[in-house]
Amino acid sequence: METSSIEINELPLATKTQTPPASVEPIPMETSSIDELPSSDSNATDNIEAVGEKRKRADEDEKTNLESSDTKITTPSPWWKTSLCSYFRREASCSHGNECKYAHGEAELRMKPDNTWDPTSERGKKAKAMKMSEHEEKEEDEVLFTEQMMESIDGDEGGGGSVSVVDLSLSKCLVHLPNKWQSDELKKFLGEQGVLYKSAKKRRGMIVGFVTFENAEQLQSGVEILDGKTVNSSNLKIADVLPRTFDKNDARKSVKSARDAVTPLAYLSYADQLEQKKTSIGQMLKKLARNARKACPNGNSLPQWVLTSRDRGGLACNLEGIIESPITNGYRNKCEFSVGLSLQGKPTVGFSLGSFCAGVTAVEEPVDCPNVSKIASQYASIFQKFIENSKFQVWNRFQHSGFWRQLTVREGRKPGVFSNDEDAITRIAEVMLMVQVCLTGSDEAEVATEFEELAKAFAEGARASSPTLPLTVLVVQNHSGISNVAPPDAPLQVLAIPISDNGTDQEQTTNVLTEARIHDHINNLRFSISPTAFFQVNTVTAEKLYSIAGDWADLGPDTLLFDVCCGTGTIGLTLAHRVGMVIGIEMNASAVADAERNATINGISNCKFICSKAEDVMSSLLKQYLDVTQMEEAKPLSNANDDLNKQIPSTEEMTNSEHVADQNLPPSNTRVEELQDNEQKDSSSLEPEKTTKPQFKNVVAIVDPPRSGLHPAVIKALRTHPRLKRLVYISCNPETLVANAIELCTPSFDEPDRGNKNYRGRKKIGIAALARHRAKSMPTSEAFRPVKAMAVDLFPHTDHCEMVMLLER
């Protein structure tokens, strides 16, 4: 009866998925009950047992196959249902039904294997908010709110600079107040909450305010009411107010050093830094894919690169890797040192320890900052010794008063390849010093004398160093704004540098027109750099960056290259020998003057530089250089370029580029009108010929915008011009690259939404979400697609990383 039990138990398993085999039904021996067989027929019994064994083996094999098949189906991937289904989110339904590997709603959502939630889910957003809150609290614990801050606000409001005396034991600092609030708004808020107090102080532009109470009872009651109170979606935090003087060791326990503020990754090995930055760039690519999925028009199929992003681990395109910096220590050729008071109230030249918005103005010396060169550190030390004995005060950001504001050290290296092992000073050929001051309310004669002493101090300090420090030019910049970021047209004054000749002092006659610049080298080209012009701070790694950009751009003799936000022309000039023509666009007049000078220095004739905002001229330039008539195409290329040169005036014609110190940037709208007028004249004169042919077969744009990214008008011009098929985007801020790429790569909507501006009223809307909304109003045009990306470590020891992305259509 053992065979019978096997048949009875196993047959139903097979019948779960298929009908019984046809061979079973016509054979009475197999279908009859074993109990009905004559027990005396031993042969029959043997046959039955043989058939039973075969059936047993067959059923066991079938059961094994079914179990293995069930395992493949029912055992989910670790990522099963860990992401929300975008189709279900948009349409409230999904064609895959229950078999969809993505979650249909929050209830089905599972945690990812790395113990995180889908960032677009409610739990993911909540976890991110909690993480950010913890990070902010951690940073706030490192901030010191001192009596000096209270006094500065008190001095502003008390009139005549009077400062009231307060008991710090009865004073508290409120953190996370609205930026726009002043003392009146803070007092009104305290009254609404029923808080009794003696005085309240708050300055616009800061998130901190100070409250002083009459006695301990008021203080205790006020803290209980205010601590954790929600104001404009932020929770108030109560902090103590420290006296002006306190123990230095205690301060170091609470405040991060200049090294930690400037180079937060210096504690990691360089290999770990590269891995961390590569991972960060990978997250940006995942963010691009997620937002592109959300931004696509409803009812339209997703682009192929979005659909295949799952195969790349969620990346919008392949991440080719990360390029490391050949020099990791002292690599910066430009250092900007703030001038202020240290934690001990001493005039200091160095780096700020935190954000002014958070009430941090303390400045510490650049001690052990691995990204700062030895030359820059030594000049900072020389300047600090000078201002300690100066009759003029350092800049006070609370009171908007003072004289000395900032020191900028720019270095120009010699041509050649260098490494970390070589002495940094031997790599440098020229040095420019720019001292930023505020001349408001200063006596002109006293200032002139002070500048003479300053030049003498720098010259003597450079000669006293071993080896002697190079010093090429000394410039003073006058700026009266709140922040140290001066406008490009801020007045500059070049100071004569005294030199010593056989023990006697002799002043070197410095020509303002020719000496207000230094020189650096990239790819064996020599570049002239004016005081305020942009130039890559890590030139050795920049060479690798530009090489990658040129290789990806697929350049050739028939290529027209647009270098957008070109600065001093480094990208366009280094790639000029590989293309037919380069058009550079830059809004900084001095930088454009440098670019034209650099082209002349290096004997490059196929480059043209336009001084204007890219958003004002990009569309006109694309039409001018790409939509030329057959008549113009018949001209030799040199003649066509000559005609274009006549149409667009050079920087020398707009402004005397040599007088960098005294020139202001001409209005950009004037230049736009000139370009449009020229375009209209050309079109009217050639009106009979309607057909047009391109002048260049290959049109490529390389953009290297500032941290804020490309202007929407530039994105629109690049996106809507059909001849532009390839775009290389170089970004020092991957967040803005993602936002710009969303607009460039999102398919066009059938009817562009031009009236929905409700998103502008939202608070704390991210730049990616803003880009998704702007993509809805993009005119109908063929979208780009991200092809590949590369991380480039231009800033070792910091959390910043350059990103290069190739976009095609």
Side-chain angles (χ1 to χ4, degrees), residues 435 447-448 450-456 458 472-476 493-498 508 510 512:
V435 179
V447 169
E450 191 75 359
F451 286 167
E452 291 179 2
E453 295 297 324
L454 174 65
K456 182 178 178 181
F458 276 128
T472 308
V473 61
L474 175 59
V475 183
V476 173
Q493 177 185 351
V494 179
L495 301 183
I497 302 174
Q508 178 184 13
T510 305
V512 176

Side-chain angles (χ1 to χ4, degrees), residues 628-640 689 693-695:
V628 294
T629 62
Q630 292 179 351
M631 181 183 299
E632 290 182 353
E633 188 192 22
K635 297 179 181 180
L637 180 60
S638 59
N639 295 338
E689 298 189 20
K693 288 187 178 181
Q695 182 178 0

Side-chain angles (χ1 to χ4, degrees), residues 743-763:
E743 296 184 67
L744 291 168
C745 301
T746 300
S748 298
F749 284 70
D750 294 335
E751 296 183 1
D753 185 2
R754 305 181 187 280
N756 183 13
K757 307 298 180 182
N758 295 332
Y759 66 88
R760 292 184 177 180
R762 299 184 189 177
K763 292 184 177 180

Side-chain angles (χ1 to χ4, degrees), residues 761-774:
R762 299 184 189 177
K763 292 184 177 180
K764 298 183 178 180
I765 184 172
I767 58 174
L770 188 62
R772 295 201 305 268
H773 284 284
R774 281 203 296 255

Side-chain angles (χ1 to χ4, degrees), residues 203 352 356 360-361 395-401 482-484:
R203 165 174 286 175
S352 176
F356 172 73
V360 180
T361 59
W395 182 251
N396 187 318
R397 294 189 67 182
F398 289 112
Q399 299 179 353
H400 300 171
S401 63
I482 299 175
S483 159
N484 287 343

Side-chain angles (χ1 to χ4, degrees), residues 147-184:
E147 181 183 5
Q148 178 189 353
M149 295 172 59
M150 290 184 60
E151 291 181 358
S152 62
I153 298 177
D154 192 22
D156 285 347
E157 298 179 353
S162 61
V163 177
S164 60
V165 179
V166 297
D167 184 358
L168 296 185
S169 64
L170 298 177
S171 299
K172 291 292 181 181
C173 177
L174 305 185
V175 189
H176 286 164
L177 293 173
N179 262 335
K180 297 182 179 179
W181 278 16
Q182 292 183 330
S183 295
D184 292 341

Side-chain angles (χ1 to χ4, degrees), residues 540-554:
V540 180
T541 312
E543 292 180 351
K544 296 186 175 184
L545 173 66
Y546 297 159
S547 178
I548 286 289
D551 293 342
W552 287 8
D554 192 22

Side-chain angles (χ1 to χ4, degrees), residues 63-75:
K63 178 181 178 182
T64 302
N65 293 335
L66 285 171
E67 287 178 347
S68 62
S69 177
D70 290 343
T71 301
K72 292 179 182 177
I73 296 175
T74 60
T75 303

